[in-house]
Amino acid sequence: MYQRSDIIYLYDGSFEGFLSCVFESFLCKQRPYDIVSEDSSEPSLMAQQWIETDMQRAQRVRNGIGKKISEEALYLVTNGFCTCHPQRELLLLDFIHLGFERGKKVCELITDPTVHALQKAVLFLKRESHLYLEFVRFSEYDKGLVSVIEPKNRVLPTIAPHFCDRLHNELFIIYDKTHRSVLIHKPPKWAIVDLEDFIEPQADETEQFYRELWGTYFDAIAIRERINPRCQMTHMPKRYWKHMTEMQRRPAAKTAASARTESTVNPVPLPERMLSE
């Protein structure tokens, strides 16, 4: 491992930009004090060095990790970059240095603090991504489907193949409000791009109707004698409720607890526009 320096690397926030920082670290034989993306940098008394994104250098680092360490290590690095670990760049840099020293066995060093922290962060990413395969709720507007999520990790790259395959004929977007990025699917292509702000369109009468239907279905399939709000929050943590249709429909406390006292499910009236069709 190279000696730690007092230089802070700044980069553009892209994965290729980070790999360019890794290349610079090996080239100058130094371990920077920190690696910070351009949009999250703060004034510092330490020297800062801007690292330009170089696609050729990034590709050399990517190839080197896959060939000289292992494909599993490359998987950890690519997914580790999507995690919410507070110092993910330094963690990944330390892991890559360790990988080039130990070779393909680096992934088996589960007691090493760096390897353990990275595997733990990637596991959190995988678990949150898995939850979002079930918790994403779309609303239909004139030109397509729209969903808004607020994950802790950058889950869009991991959930994109699933939704693009299941909704392969649909025009849809999934906006990541936390990281201000959006998955855009316009058959047959999809892309993830940065989007500073997104204002969800106002739901029309038909969309409101289907939201009510979904909420009614959610209540109707519940077995009232087995309703357990605490168990519900274990399987469906409360921080995901904000953008879930069935939880927005009424106050959260009412969704489970009050269902105990409701003896019937109120019918949902058809909107006038649909009655005339």
Side-chain angles (χ1 to χ4, degrees), residues 1-270:
M1 180 73 68
Y2 300 133
Q3 292 295 321
R4 184 172 180 174
S5 69
D6 293 333
I7 296 177
I8 297 176
Y9 286 177
L10 298 179
Y11 73 111
D12 61 3
S14 67
F15 183 58
E16 289 74 19
F18 164 70
L19 294 181
S20 300
C21 293
V22 175
F23 188 96
E24 185 72 17
S25 172
F26 278 89
L27 182 66
C28 299
K29 296 183 178 180
Q30 64 181 195
R31 181 187 184 275
Y33 180 82
D34 202 357
I35 302 177
V36 182
S37 63
E38 183 180 16
D39 58 351
S40 60
S41 65
E42 297 178 354
S44 172
L45 296 177
M46 292 187 176
Q48 297 182 340
Q49 179 180 351
W50 174 257
I51 306 299
E52 196 67 37
T53 298
D54 187 314
M55 301 304 288
Q56 291 185 345
R57 289 184 172 185
Q59 191 60 42
R60 286 179 62 182
V61 174
R62 186 197 295 264
N63 293 340
I65 296 172
K67 292 178 181 177
K68 296 184 179 180
I69 307 178
S70 67
E71 289 297 325
E72 184 181 359
L74 183 59
Y75 169 84
L76 284 176
V77 171
T78 52
N79 283 274
F81 188 75
C82 296
T83 67
C84 60
H85 192 281
Q87 290 192 309
R88 57 173 182 160
E89 290 92 347
L90 279 184
L91 178 66
L92 291 171
L93 179 64
D94 290 344
F95 176 77
I96 294 171
H97 275 282
L98 188 64
F100 279 116
E101 289 177 7
R102 302 294 185 89
K104 62 181 181 181
K105 292 184 178 179
V106 66
C107 297
E108 301 172 4
L109 304 175
I110 56 176
T111 58
D112 183 275
T114 299
V115 179
H116 176 71
L118 179 57
Q119 290 182 338
K120 186 178 178 181
V122 172
L123 181 61
F124 179 33
L125 166 71
K126 290 172 63 178
R127 285 176 175 170
E128 189 173 38
S129 300
H130 178 73
L131 290 176
Y132 269 111
L133 297 184
E134 302 174 9
F135 296 161
V136 168
R137 298 289 182 268
F138 287 99
S139 295
E140 185 171 9
Y141 300 103
D142 290 340
K143 296 182 180 179
L145 304 175
V146 175
S147 177
V148 178
I149 59 176
E150 291 188 56
K152 290 185 178 180
N153 298 281
R154 297 174 185 271
V155 301
L156 287 182
T158 49
I159 67 174
H162 170 83
F163 287 104
C164 293
D165 179 56
R166 291 202 64 179
L167 306 172
H168 61 277
N169 287 327
E170 300 285 349
L171 171 64
F172 71 83
I173 68 170
I174 301 177
Y175 180 63
D176 181 343
K177 194 173 181 179
T178 307
H179 305 96
R180 297 190 295 276
S181 60
V182 60
L183 164 65
I184 303 174
H185 179 259
K186 185 177 181 181
K189 298 180 180 180
W190 63 271
I192 297 174
V193 298
D194 294 334
L195 184 63
E196 191 61 30
D197 194 16
F198 173 76
I199 300 176
E200 194 171 1
Q202 188 70 29
D204 61 13
E205 188 181 15
T206 304
E207 172 59 26
Q208 292 289 358
F209 168 70
Y210 281 108
R211 288 181 183 182
E212 286 295 320
L213 275 185
W214 176 245
T216 302
Y217 170 75
F218 178 77
D219 292 338
I221 62 172
I223 302 174
R224 301 183 186 283
E225 292 75 13
R226 295 185 179 179
I227 289 178
N228 185 338
R230 179 167 296 183
C231 181
Q232 182 186 39
M233 284 187 281
T234 301
H235 294 286
M236 189 168 62
K238 213 167 181 178
R239 70 184 179 90
Y240 298 102
W241 293 12
K242 185 177 179 181
H243 298 288
M244 297 181 70
T245 307
E246 61 270 32
M247 297 305 183
Q248 288 181 332
R249 182 169 168 262
R250 61 194 64 189
K254 188 179 178 182
T255 54
S258 69
R260 298 173 189 274
T261 60
E262 293 178 358
S263 58
T264 58
V265 177
N266 295 326
V268 180
L270 278 171

